[in-house]
């Protein structure tokens, strides 16, 4: 059975539904935090992420009219994270989320493909992202897609550090995620 996924730029009227998908998607990682206060702060940041004026593109994936996934794309890592100094001067993916009921249907691939196409349109050779080493499903997803770790830009070395991944925009995808 083929699922018809539409990926389009989000509109402000979509924000509440996007936040619901983000929170529902990221809840699987709550136990990795071991600290309720830290988790609450993280979820609060996710809820407020749509207010970041530096988002270059906010994409949503729809199936049958409902938002089932989302991703944020920034011009650079520094714009993705307020107050964070980063030398990564490439398009940067943040907060990829797919509703748990729609995982395994190609939603993440469609969103990542759109980010790669946008990075190409920005005339950039790579697109980057950070993920936590404790987010095992996310790490596996990015590796299956073809992202490679870029250890030069890893942050920290504990469970609250971040792994840096990059993807060359000239690569053609053929394998499913």
């Amino acid at each position: 059975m083929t699922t018809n996924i539409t990926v389009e730029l989000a509109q402000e009227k979509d924000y509440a539904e996007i936040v619901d998908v983000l929170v529902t998607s990221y809840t699987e990682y709550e136990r990795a935090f071991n600290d309720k206060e830290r988790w609450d702060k993280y979820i609060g940041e996710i809820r407020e992420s749509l207010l970041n004026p530096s988002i270059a593109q906010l994409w949503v994936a729809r199936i049958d009219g409902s938002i089932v996934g989302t991703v944020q794309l920034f011009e650079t890592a520094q714009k993705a994270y307020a107050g964070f100094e980063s030398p990564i001067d490439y398009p940067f993916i943040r907060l990829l989320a797919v509703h748990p009921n729609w995982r395994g249907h190609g939603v993440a691939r469609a969103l990542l493909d759109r980010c790669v196409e946008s990075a190409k349109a920005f005339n950039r050779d790579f697109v980057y992202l950070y993920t936590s080493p404790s987010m095992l499903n996310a790490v596996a997803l990015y590796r299956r897609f073809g992202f490679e770790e870029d250890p030069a830009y890893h942050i920290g070395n504990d469970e609250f550090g971040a792994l840096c991944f990059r993807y060359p925009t000239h690569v053609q995808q053929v394998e499913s995620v």
Side-chain angles (χ1 to χ4, degrees), residues 94-151:
R94 209 164 164 231
L95 295 173
L96 172 68
V98 176
H99 191 284
N101 294 344
W102 288 101
R103 292 181 183 162
H105 288 84
V107 175
R109 169 164 296 285
L111 289 164
L112 289 171
D113 282 342
R114 188 57 57 114
C115 289
V116 170
E117 288 303 314
S118 291
K120 283 182 190 177
F122 296 161
N123 292 318
R124 304 311 306 260
D125 295 331
F126 294 97
V127 61
Y128 278 78
L129 61 85
Y130 282 123
T131 193
S132 168
S134 65
M135 294 182 172
L136 300 177
N137 290 336
V139 170
L141 168 75
Y142 298 133
R143 286 190 173 131
R144 280 193 315 271
F145 189 86
F147 277 84
E148 295 180 355
E149 281 189 56
D150 191 340

Side-chain angles (χ1 to χ4, degrees), residues 6-176:
T6 304
V7 177
E8 60 193 27
L9 288 170
Q11 298 179 22
E12 193 170 334
K13 68 180 178 63
D14 298 323
Y15 284 12
E17 197 173 354
I18 292 168
V19 169
D20 287 344
V21 169
L22 282 164
V23 171
T24 301
S25 176
Y26 276 82
T27 296
E28 79 176 276
Y29 299 114
E30 183 175 3
R31 284 177 279 177
F33 276 73
N34 298 326
D35 178 353
K36 182 169 176 14
E37 187 175 316
R38 189 175 182 124
W39 170 253
D40 289 343
K41 181 179 179 197
Y42 182 65
I43 283 296
E45 290 170 358
I46 287 173
R47 288 180 183 279
E48 294 173 5
S49 69
L50 300 183
L51 303 177
N52 184 338
S54 296
I55 295 173
Q57 296 173 336
L58 175 60
W59 296 102
V60 294
R62 293 182 193 272
I63 296 176
D64 297 330
S66 295
I67 295 174
V68 298
T70 186
V71 67
Q72 298 172 16
L73 185 66
F74 294 82
E75 291 177 23
T76 65
Q78 194 163 353
K79 290 186 177 189
Y81 298 95
F84 175 65
E85 295 293 324
S86 174
I88 301 173
D89 191 29
Y90 288 94
F92 205 86
I93 294 169
R94 209 164 164 231
L95 295 173
L96 172 68
V98 176
H99 191 284
N101 294 344
W102 288 101
R103 292 181 183 162
H105 288 84
V107 175
R109 169 164 296 285
L111 289 164
L112 289 171
D113 282 342
R114 188 57 57 114
C115 289
V116 170
E117 288 303 314
S118 291
K120 283 182 190 177
F122 296 161
N123 292 318
R124 304 311 306 260
D125 295 331
F126 294 97
V127 61
Y128 278 78
L129 61 85
Y130 282 123
T131 193
S132 168
S134 65
M135 294 182 172
L136 300 177
N137 290 336
V139 170
L141 168 75
Y142 298 133
R143 286 190 173 131
R144 280 193 315 271
F145 189 86
F147 277 84
E148 295 180 355
E149 281 189 56
D150 191 340
Y153 298 118
H154 286 351
I155 300 171
N157 59 4
D158 63 8
E159 77 240 45
F160 299 112
L163 302 175
C164 183
F165 285 85
R166 73 176 181 193
Y167 184 85
T169 59
H170 62 277
V171 172
Q172 293 285 334
Q173 284 293 321
V174 293
E175 184 183 326
S176 67

